[in-house]
Amino acid sequence: MQFAVNKTDDGKLLRAFLRECGVSAALLARLKRREGGILLNGAPVTVRAVLHAGDTVELALEDGAGESSVVPRDLPLDVLLKTEDFAVLNKPCDMPTHPSHGHFEDTLANALAYHFSTPQQPYRPRFINRLDRNTTGAVLVASHALAAAVLSRAMAAGEIEKEYLALVHGALTAPRRIEGGIRRREESIIFREVCPVGEGEYALTLAEPLAWNDHFTLVRLCPQTGRTHQLRVHMASIGHPLLGDDLYGRADGFPRHALHAVTLAFPAPKTGERIRVFAPIPADMLQKIEELGKEAVLLAKQESEAH
């Protein structure tokens, strides 16, 4: 990973410059021990080096071959955007984000390890956001430790915006602000439920209906927090569970819970530039949206395309 030294950084010690770029003390220590870990204008230096405008700082952030246990598998991978620091993928339905019990070789992580690894360097995905197995849409993954640290801090600071499109039961005709606690139901390891503010984990969702009929609504969901099953729990709590959500709603013929992560907006790890990525609406949801009419289809496509 390379950094250009600007006029505002002229005269700074390399150590201070790297800390301002998001390099943690632990990562800095690892880089100092690694041969060629820190280069200034192509030459090894100590962190006490003084920088000058026009210099180039290069960090060897590659992971060692033994640091990733993800098995590479030749699975479909829809890449929406890729740089040396991160990638945004359009996750399909019925694919877990990362390996877990019963899913060790059929996940997005396995696909990334296959498509992004090289003979010299295995790819170790570091997920910044995660989606349920049957939720589709945009997933952000950091390609190295520094990008992961910077993006994780951005997520914690609320600097990463996430928008979803969902299909929910009933006619939701006005925007809703859904606020309260979410906790795991005591007798279950999966099921979540709403609870009063002050109990469980605080959660806030903004819901805006885009089109509806008497049976279901196309809604834009903007989570302001990131709790497990937050959108599914919140919509069910106001009487509008997601279509196809047999955990918080009911079996209704839709093949999965109708939820798609349509937009991710985040600061680039290196420059801070605001990046916005759109994930096209999947075919199963688009087919259902067609029942709401042409204007609804147009709205859904506008939500999922750069504009």
Side-chain angles (χ1 to χ4, degrees), residues 3 13 29 62 67 79 84 102 108 114 119 121 125 146 175 181 204 213 220 222 225 264 274 305-306:
F3 297 89
L13 290 180
E62 295 83 3
E67 293 184 30
V79 181
E84 65 173 350
L108 188 59
Y114 179 87
Q121 183 62 49
L146 178 54
L204 172 61
N213 60 23
R220 180 197 296 122
C222 300
T225 52
L264 270 179
R274 195 72 180 166
E305 297 174 355

Side-chain angles (χ1 to χ4, degrees), residues 164-175 207-221 235 240 243 285-286 288-303:
Y164 294 74
L165 289 182
L167 298 173
V168 303
H169 282 283
L172 179 66
T173 59
E208 181 180 355
L210 300 176
W212 60 87
N213 60 23
D214 292 338
H215 306 291
F216 70 97
T217 300
L218 170 65
V219 59
R220 180 197 296 122
L221 299 176
M235 296 312 296
H240 295 280
L243 267 60
M285 287 183 63
L286 191 59
K288 189 66 177 178
I289 293 169
E290 288 174 353
E291 297 180 22
L292 296 174
K294 292 182 179 180
E295 289 189 7
V297 171
L298 181 60
L299 279 172
K301 289 183 176 180
Q302 288 175 343
E303 290 288 319

Side-chain angles (χ1 to χ4, degrees), residues 5-262:
V5 179
N6 300 316
K7 290 182 179 180
T8 55
D9 300 311
D10 192 281
K12 285 184 180 177
L13 290 180
L14 179 56
R15 178 193 293 110
F17 174 80
L18 292 177
R19 292 305 300 272
E20 290 174 6
C21 290
V23 178
S24 67
L27 178 56
L28 188 58
R30 291 202 302 272
L31 289 168
K32 288 162 63 177
R33 293 192 299 267
R34 183 177 297 169
E35 184 178 356
I38 305 174
L39 302 178
L40 178 61
N41 300 323
V45 292
T46 71
V47 294
R48 294 186 297 275
V50 177
L51 301 180
H52 301 285
D55 285 347
T56 298
V57 177
E58 186 173 357
L59 307 181
L61 295 168
E62 295 83 3
D63 294 311
E67 293 184 30
S68 176
S69 60
V70 177
V71 179
R73 287 292 178 259
D74 187 5
L75 302 170
L77 190 66
D78 185 1
V79 181
L80 299 172
L81 179 63
K82 186 178 187 300
T83 73
E84 65 173 350
D85 303 320
F86 65 86
V88 183
L89 301 314
N90 186 16
K91 191 185 83 64
C93 172
D94 198 28
M95 175 181 275
T97 301
H98 53 80
S100 60
H101 180 69
H103 295 279
F104 295 108
E105 299 185 14
D106 61 346
T107 73
L108 188 59
N110 299 112
L112 284 163
Y114 179 87
H115 290 279
F116 288 175
S117 292
T118 67
Q120 298 77 29
Q121 183 62 49
Y123 184 84
R124 180 185 177 187
R126 295 171 168 87
F127 292 104
I128 306 304
N129 70 310
R130 293 171 172 81
L131 300 177
D132 292 342
R133 179 171 62 88
N134 282 329
T135 301
T136 57
V139 174
L140 175 61
V141 57
S143 299
H144 51 75
L146 178 54
V150 173
L151 289 170
S152 295
R153 282 199 295 271
M155 178 71 82
E159 296 172 355
I160 296 183
E161 302 172 45
K162 296 173 286 184
E163 291 187 3
Y164 294 74
L165 289 182
L167 298 173
V168 303
H169 282 283
L172 179 66
T173 59
R176 295 289 299 270
R177 177 186 173 94
I178 311 165
E179 187 174 17
I182 290 181
R183 64 188 174 195
R184 180 174 59 84
R185 183 169 289 180
E186 189 171 331
E187 69 277 10
S188 174
I189 61 173
I190 299 175
F191 195 91
R192 264 65 178 177
E193 62 184 4
V194 296
C195 57
V197 174
E199 299 180 24
E201 296 181 298
Y202 174 76
L204 172 61
T205 300
L206 306 179
E208 181 180 355
L210 300 176
W212 60 87
N213 60 23
D214 292 338
H215 306 291
F216 70 97
T217 300
L218 170 65
V219 59
R220 180 197 296 122
L221 299 176
C222 300
Q224 306 301 296
T225 52
R227 310 306 181 197
T228 300
H229 294 181
Q230 176 175 323
L231 301 180
R232 298 166 65 189
V233 172
H234 269 175
M235 296 312 296
S237 74
I238 63 170
H240 295 280
L242 272 62
L243 267 60
D245 191 346
D246 56 5
L247 181 61
Y248 296 105
R250 62 180 187 274
D252 51 29
F254 199 79
R256 63 174 178 100
H257 55 255
L259 185 63
H260 177 67
V262 70

